[in-house]
Amino acid sequence: MSKGLFITFEGGEGCGKSTQVKRLKAELESRGIEVLLTREPGGTILSEEIRRLIKDQEEDAPCDRAELLLFLAARAQLVRNVIRPALAAGKYVISDRFSDSTIAYQGYGRGLSLDFISAANDFACEDLKPDITFLLDVDPEVARARMRSRESATHTAADRIEKAGEEFHARLREGFRALAAADRERIVTIDANGSPDEVWNLISNILRKVIR
Ligand code: TMP
């Protein structure tokens, strides 16, 4: 039985999740809360290997179905070996992406069956659901500008999924919005077009109502 709190962050590329996730961790720790920060795909040795395959394998790039199954395998390992034990120990777990990303990217983005993905997500997570999800919603032009500046600051190129094209990214944004509309209890949509401080203020206002 879970005693901790499970918080996830979702959104398209360049939405600024990673910055906010670190800020939330620091804020919770300053209140004496034990926090486990993880990311998806990733967070275990196996799941980080899968992350590398999914993001960078260009020569034999995973087909859409293989890509879906790889994300699910990474998730099953992370939930079983990391997230559930941490929650059971009373920790707050923050995950940079979780199962909503699969519905948005592989369902709405790649066009794979939403019903199948939903059932497969439940199987992979053993029915674990986040207690609260922050969906960082950002206009496509703002997202593109952020990605360009990140690429030049870190001297890295866009990965296979980041390069998937404007229509793909528009579809997955619609997917995230549809998910949020269908579950307003759990998913809080945050306008992420502002500066990191502005976005953090929106998140911390919500947090006050959630933290026990
Ligand atoms: P990121 O954590 O740096 O955003 O990279 C993860 C990438 O994988 C990102 O492009 C979103 C994508 N993704 C999916 O397509 N499906 C998923 O289920 C997850 C967790 C991520």
Side-chain angles (χ1 to χ4, degrees), residues 99-118:
S99 44
D100 296 317
S101 277
T102 317
I103 297 180
Y105 279 78
Q106 281 63 54
Y108 285 81
R110 302 283 193 222
L112 297 174
S113 158
L114 296 177
D115 287 343
F116 176 78
I117 294 174
S118 177

Side-chain angles (χ1 to χ4, degrees), residues 78-89:
L78 179 70
V79 167
R80 172 63 74 101
N81 289 351
V82 176
I83 296 181
R84 276 198 190 277
L87 291 172

Side-chain angles (χ1 to χ4, degrees), residues 10-14 17-18 39-41 51 54-55 67-68 71-72 75 96-106 110 121 150 159-162 168-169 172:
E10 298 281 6
E13 314 295 330
K17 279 180 296 95
S18 307
R39 67 173 180 180
E40 273 237 84
R51 179 185 180 90
I54 293 172
K55 281 173 94 88
E67 181 185 85
L68 168 64
F71 278 116
L72 294 168
R75 180 161 309 133
D96 186 337
R97 297 195 182 281
F98 196 62
S99 44
D100 296 317
S101 277
T102 317
I103 297 180
Y105 279 78
Q106 281 63 54
R110 302 283 193 222
N121 257 338
R150 186 181 65 198
D159 66 39
R160 201 176 57 77
I161 298 177
E162 286 165 345
F168 174 83
H169 291 285
L172 70 90

Side-chain angles (χ1 to χ4, degrees), residues 4-211:
L5 196 77
F6 184 26
I7 306 170
T8 61
F9 280 71
E10 298 281 6
E13 314 295 330
C15 70
K17 279 180 296 95
S18 307
T19 310
Q20 301 300 331
V21 157
K22 288 187 204 120
R23 237 167 142 161
L24 175 60
K25 178 175 189 276
E27 169 66 26
L28 294 174
E29 284 176 343
S30 77
R31 300 184 193 195
I33 295 170
E34 239 192 303
V35 178
L36 179 109
L37 173 59
T38 191
R39 67 173 180 180
E40 273 237 84
T44 80
I45 295 169
L46 178 72
S47 308
E48 289 289 336
E49 280 283 301
I50 294 174
R51 179 185 180 90
R52 191 179 52 75
L53 290 173
I54 293 172
K55 281 173 94 88
D56 300 328
Q57 178 51 259
E58 303 254 4
E59 195 185 341
D60 185 22
C63 65
D64 292 352
R65 289 177 185 221
E67 181 185 85
L68 168 64
L69 295 170
L70 287 167
F71 278 116
L72 294 168
R75 180 161 309 133
Q77 188 78 357
L78 179 70
V79 167
R80 172 63 74 101
N81 289 351
V82 176
I83 296 181
R84 276 198 190 277
L87 291 172
K91 293 183 189 166
Y92 278 35
V93 175
I94 308 172
S95 187
D96 186 337
R97 297 195 182 281
F98 196 62
S99 44
D100 296 317
S101 277
T102 317
I103 297 180
Y105 279 78
Q106 281 63 54
Y108 285 81
R110 302 283 193 222
L112 297 174
S113 158
L114 296 177
D115 287 343
F116 176 78
I117 294 174
S118 177
N121 257 338
D122 289 346
F123 176 78
C125 307
E126 300 173 71
D127 294 320
L128 179 69
K129 299 250 184 316
D131 294 296
I132 180 160
T133 298
F134 291 103
L135 169 60
L136 272 49
D137 185 59
V138 69
D139 290 337
E141 310 83 71
V142 176
R144 272 195 294 275
R146 282 184 190 161
M147 282 167 65
R148 272 197 302 272
S149 74
R150 186 181 65 198
E151 282 161 26
S152 71
T154 57
H155 304 289
T156 50
D159 66 39
R160 201 176 57 77
I161 298 177
E162 286 165 345
K163 284 191 297 205
E166 277 178 34
E167 281 177 19
F168 174 83
H169 291 285
R171 283 199 301 278
L172 70 90
R173 186 181 189 205
E174 282 317 303
F176 277 127
R177 288 176 156 191
L179 282 168
D183 192 352
R184 292 187 196 281
E185 283 264 298
R186 171 175 69 86
I187 305 179
V188 182
T189 304
I190 300 284
D191 177 346
N193 289 301
S195 68
D197 283 345
E198 285 166 340
V199 177
W200 172 247
N201 282 339
L202 297 172
I203 292 172
S204 54
N205 280 340
I206 304 289
L207 211 57
R208 277 190 210 113
K209 299 175 203 152
V210 175
I211 300 290

